[in-house]
Structure formats: C-alpha cells, structure tokens
Amino acid sequence: MQKKTINQKTEPHFTASDTVRDIIIGMSDGLTVPFALAAGLSGVVSSTTLIVIAGLSEIAAGSISMGLGGYLAGENDAEHYDSERKKEYEEIKHTPEKEKKEVVDVFKKYGLNEEQVSPIIKNFEKNPEMWLDFMMRNELSLERPDKKRARNSGLTIAASYLVAGFIPLSPYIFIHNSRSALLVSAITTLLALTIFGYIKAKLIGNNPWRSALRTILIGGIAAGAAYLIAKIIS
Amino acid sequence: MQKKTINQKTEPHFTASDTVRDIIIGMSDGLTVPFALAAGLSGVVSSTTLIVIAGLSEIAAGSISMGLGGYLAGENDAEHYDSERKKEYEEIKHTPEKEKKEVVDVFKKYGLNEEQVSPIIKNFEKNPEMWLDFMMRNELSLERPDKKRARNSGLTIAASYLVAGFIPLSPYIFIHNSRSALLVSAITTLLALTIFGYIKAKLIGNNPWRSALRTILIGGIAAGAAYLIAKIIS
C-alpha cells in the first residue's frame, strides 16, 4: 500500500491518486461487507427487518470505524515523519561527517564521484533544512505528508463506505422476503461492483475489464464465505 | 496515508512501518466493527445465536474483503508506479531537454546552480535507467513498491481482522443472554483497544496513552452509532 502525495508536477501524470485510493478503499468494503452480511443472514432468517437492522448497524459501524481509521493512519504518518525528521536532524547536528558520507553514497548511485558531490555538501552545510529535506526523501524514502490529508482521507473513506453500503442493503428495505431481496441485492451489487471496478481502472490507467472482474471476485468470495459460515453454524 | 518502503537504511530509524500499519488497519476494524454490530443487535434481539451468526458472517466478510482490498491496493500501487515510469521513460526519450531542465529544477531546490548540475546530467544521459530512478523519486515522489508487498499486506490485514474480530464476539458465543454478553464484550473490547492502542503507539514511537484513548474513542463512537441506529429503527 504505497502512497504518495505527488508534488511539483509539470507533466500529465495522474495526480488524484490519494483521493481515488480512499474512495476505492471505502467503496470496495462498503459494497462487499454489507452485501456479504445480508447474504449470510438471508440464509438464516426469512424476515428482512432484522437484516436491515444488522445491515444499517454494520454500515454505521463500518463507515465510522474505517473513516476514523483512515484519519488516524494519516495522523500516524505525519507523526512518524516528524519523529524520523527529528532523528535525522540530530544526526546531521551531531554526526555530520557520517551524514556527509551518506550524501556522497546517494549521489554515487546516480554516478557522481566524491569531487562532484562536494559543492552540494557545501550548500547543504549552509542550509541544514535543505539537507534534512534531501535526507528524508533520498535516504529514508519519506515524503512530507500533507497536513489536510488525514482529515480528508477519513471523510472520503467514511462517505464512500456509507454511500456504497446502501447499494446492497436497499433491496432488503423494500422487499420483505429475504430470498427475493437477496437475489435483487446480488444483481444490484454485481452491477455496482462491475461499474466500480471498471471506472476505478479507467481512472488509474489499468485494464478496466480485468479490474471489474477482480472487484466482482472479491465481493463474490467475501459474500460466499459469509453465506456459508452463517449456513453452517445455524 | 503516506506509505513508503524504507530502503538502504544505515541508522536506527523505525523500519517495520508497513507491516505494523497493516496490523493496525486490520485490528482496529476487526475490534470495532464486530463489536459495534453485536452491540447494535443486542439492543434488538435477546438471544445471542443470531448475534453470533451475524458476527461470524461479518468477520468472514470483513477479513476477506479488507484483505483482498489491501492486496489489490498494493497491486494498484505497483501498476501505477509502472505506468508512471513508462510515461517518464517516454519523456526522457522524446523531450530530453525538458527533462534536463527538470533535473536542474530539482537541484536548484538544494541550492545548486546550472553549472554544478551539468556533470550530473552528463551521467544521467549515459545512464537513462538511473535518470529514470531519479525522476521517479525526486520529480514524482514515487518509490518503487516492493513486489511481495501486495500479498503480504493482504494476508496481514485479513489475519489481523480475523483475530481481532473474535475478541468482541466470543462473549456472545459463551453467554446466552445478549445483555450480559454485551457487558462482557464491552469490557473485553475496551481492554483490547487500550492494549492495542498502547502497543501501537509504542511501536511507532508516539505517545502511548493518547493513542490508547484515541483507539477507545473510535471503538466507542462506532459502537454507539451502531447501537443507536439499531435501537431507532427497531
């Protein structure tokens, strides 16, 4: 789960990666888990009232939990970055010779020799902040997380889960026989997963049909497992 | 949700970030969603049989869905990286002057002038692969994803969800009155969330008690919302 904020871009590379990713995370779980739960319960109870209650509880719990989880993950990243930056700062301050050698090592990978690196090191010595930026990215492979990222990420995931969750659940709200509702729910969810997988791949630039097939597969496996487990233990 | 694989490290920075993150993702959802779902249903049904069925269905669906979601997110990252790298390769091949200017821009940020950058560019021209590596990291802020990452990530998330899910659910398996089971489940889950939040922060290097409090808050809000919704609609 590699994620970056893409900055300073001058070419038509894909930029919406983070938001799209959060929508994917929220929607794929929002489509499959409520569908699978409702399907599992359909094998056990004939009235849909309880399925709707369980489904709505799950959607509420799932969207809040995933949304807050996404928010905290974003905050963790920011804190992790800050703590690593602090360590690196101390290293530059207290063991500058070691850090200089590391700068040389980074540039050696790009084919420069020690002599060619020396003006860079001189510049870094004059600008410790710049040196720090360089080390964070090139030694530790860490990008500075966007401050608004955690909040946006949490809200996007929660909203996507909520919206997606109503797709498999709504048939149970309108149809009162659980077997008929399951059938409509399966068709609706299958359609939604196909469209979702297709659009997702189009946005990211991958093969859309392969993606649609994959998304259907996840939903199918998760729902099948839930259905079987409910059947076995009831 | 900034995530990197940390390579070529020579200092005692924290390295297990990705796996820890996946465990956090899986466990926090695995603790809160089944707990919240069971709590929601406890307000509606008095027998625990149905709660256990719904809970187990949810744990199966949730762990498979989240695990496969994590796997696909990892694969997406790898494909996204490859497609961006291909674009960048074409740019280096067809508009090298523009790309050279971009190299100069990157180093200007580090305080070098055009003349100081020229040996680097000469090296890049001899080694297009190296140039490409440099542009991916420094222009696009993208790190090459680890090949095994997607699979490991999926398995870690699914297993964490599964293990965590049984903590709030098991009281309903052994206690047949839903209100008593809810009480035991709430205490057990609260304890688990506290320990989980504390250890999580210790591993990452953040404030452990603040983290424990936060994790409890997520669980509490998600469960409270699920409980209320179930109460309102039943």
Side-chain angles (χ1 to χ4, degrees):
Chain A
M1 295 222 253
Q2 222 77 1
K3 291 195 69 197
K4 314 290 129 77
T5 317
I6 297 166
N7 304 315
Q8 296 137 337
K9 310 234 292 68
T10 49
E11 283 130 18
H13 292 275
F14 179 65
T15 51
S17 191
D18 281 342
T19 305
V20 168
R21 200 192 157 82
D22 289 335
I23 294 174
I24 293 173
I25 291 172
M27 284 205 85
S28 63
D29 269 36
L31 280 171
T32 52
V33 183
F35 170 67
L37 174 66
L41 289 177
S42 296
V44 184
V45 295
S46 61
S47 150
T48 53
T49 314
L50 209 88
I51 297 174
V52 171
I53 294 172
L56 288 177
S57 294
E58 204 286 331
I59 292 174
S63 69
I64 292 169
S65 165
M66 283 198 77
L68 281 172
Y71 172 75
L72 292 189
E75 282 226 317
N76 269 344
D77 284 334
E79 286 176 21
H80 179 61
Y81 183 89
D82 290 344
S83 99
E84 290 298 302
R85 197 179 168 92
K86 207 177 280 172
K87 274 184 216 161
E88 196 65 36
Y89 173 79
E90 292 300 320
E91 285 165 5
I92 285 177
K93 208 172 151 188
H94 298 297
T95 54
E97 293 310 317
K98 193 161 157 272
E99 295 300 308
K100 278 180 207 169
K101 217 203 136 288
E102 285 170 7
V103 174
V104 174
D105 289 343
V106 168
F107 284 107
K108 266 191 186 153
K109 278 190 299 176
Y110 299 129
L112 290 197
N113 60 38
E114 221 154 316
E115 196 190 322
Q116 288 164 320
V117 183
S118 77
I120 301 177
I121 290 180
K122 274 196 196 109
N123 266 304
F124 281 170
E125 285 182 297
K126 274 181 249 157
N127 301 287
E129 275 297 310
M130 189 189 288
W131 191 356
L132 207 45
D133 283 342
F134 179 84
M135 296 311 277
M136 290 305 289
R137 170 172 281 173
N138 285 286
E139 190 211 357
L140 297 172
S141 305
L142 287 173
E143 299 290 331
R144 186 193 292 277
D146 183 348
K147 293 271 168 199
K148 286 181 219 143
R149 182 84 201 97
R151 198 199 53 201
N152 290 349
S153 179
L155 288 175
T156 309
I157 293 174
S160 306
Y161 194 99
L162 194 71
V163 169
F166 273 94
I167 295 171
L169 195 67
S170 46
Y172 297 89
I173 300 174
F174 301 111
I175 301 165
H176 297 291
N177 175 285
S178 69
R179 282 182 172 269
S180 318
L182 172 59
L183 188 71
V184 178
S185 174
I187 294 167
T188 319
T189 309
L190 203 70
L191 259 172
L193 284 170
T194 313
I195 296 167
F196 168 68
Y198 189 90
I199 292 174
K200 184 183 90 178
K202 275 276 178 197
L203 280 174
I204 297 179
N206 297 341
N207 184 324
W209 288 114
R210 203 179 65 180
S211 163
L213 203 73
R214 265 192 199 162
T215 335
I216 292 169
L217 220 65
I218 297 186
I221 293 172
Y227 188 84
L228 275 178
I229 285 169
K231 268 285 181 203
I232 290 164
I233 55 172
S234 72
Chain B
M1 292 221 257
Q2 222 77 358
K3 290 195 69 196
K4 314 289 129 77
T5 316
I6 297 166
N7 304 314
Q8 295 138 338
K9 310 232 292 66
T10 49
E11 282 130 20
H13 292 274
F14 179 65
T15 51
S17 191
D18 281 343
T19 305
V20 169
R21 200 193 157 82
D22 289 336
I23 295 173
I24 292 172
I25 291 173
M27 284 206 86
S28 62
D29 268 38
L31 280 170
T32 53
V33 183
F35 170 67
L37 173 66
L41 290 176
S42 296
V44 183
V45 295
S46 62
S47 150
T48 54
T49 314
L50 209 87
I51 296 175
V52 172
I53 294 172
L56 288 177
S57 293
E58 204 286 331
I59 291 173
S63 69
I64 292 170
S65 165
M66 282 198 77
L68 281 172
Y71 172 75
L72 293 189
E75 282 226 316
N76 269 344
D77 283 333
E79 287 178 20
H80 178 62
Y81 183 88
D82 291 343
S83 97
E84 291 296 301
R85 197 178 169 92
K86 207 177 278 173
K87 274 185 218 162
E88 197 64 37
Y89 174 78
E90 293 299 321
E91 285 165 5
I92 285 178
K93 208 173 153 189
H94 299 297
T95 54
E97 293 310 316
K98 194 161 156 275
E99 294 302 307
K100 278 180 206 169
K101 217 202 134 291
E102 284 170 7
V103 173
V104 173
D105 288 344
V106 169
F107 283 107
K108 265 191 186 153
K109 278 191 299 174
Y110 297 129
L112 291 197
N113 59 38
E114 221 155 317
E115 198 190 322
Q116 288 165 320
V117 183
S118 76
I120 301 178
I121 290 181
K122 272 192 199 114
N123 267 304
F124 281 170
E125 285 181 298
K126 275 182 249 158
N127 302 287
E129 275 298 309
M130 189 189 288
W131 192 353
L132 206 46
D133 282 343
F134 179 83
M135 295 312 276
M136 290 307 288
R137 170 172 279 173
N138 287 286
E139 190 210 358
L140 297 173
S141 304
L142 287 173
E143 299 290 330
R144 188 192 292 276
D146 184 348
K147 294 270 168 200
K148 285 182 219 143
R149 182 86 201 95
R151 198 199 54 200
N152 290 350
S153 178
L155 289 175
T156 310
I157 293 174
S160 307
Y161 194 100
L162 194 71
V163 169
F166 273 94
I167 296 171
L169 195 66
S170 46
Y172 296 90
I173 300 173
F174 302 110
I175 301 165
H176 296 291
N177 176 285
S178 69
R179 283 184 171 270
S180 318
L182 172 59
L183 189 71
V184 179
S185 174
I187 294 166
T188 319
T189 309
L190 203 70
L191 259 172
L193 284 170
T194 312
I195 296 167
F196 169 68
Y198 188 91
I199 292 175
K200 184 183 89 178
K202 275 277 178 197
L203 280 173
I204 297 179
N206 297 341
N207 184 325
W209 288 114
R210 203 179 65 181
S211 163
L213 204 73
R214 266 191 197 162
T215 334
I216 292 168
L217 220 65
I218 297 187
I221 293 172
Y227 187 84
L228 274 178
I229 285 170
K231 269 284 182 204
I232 289 165
I233 56 172
S234 71

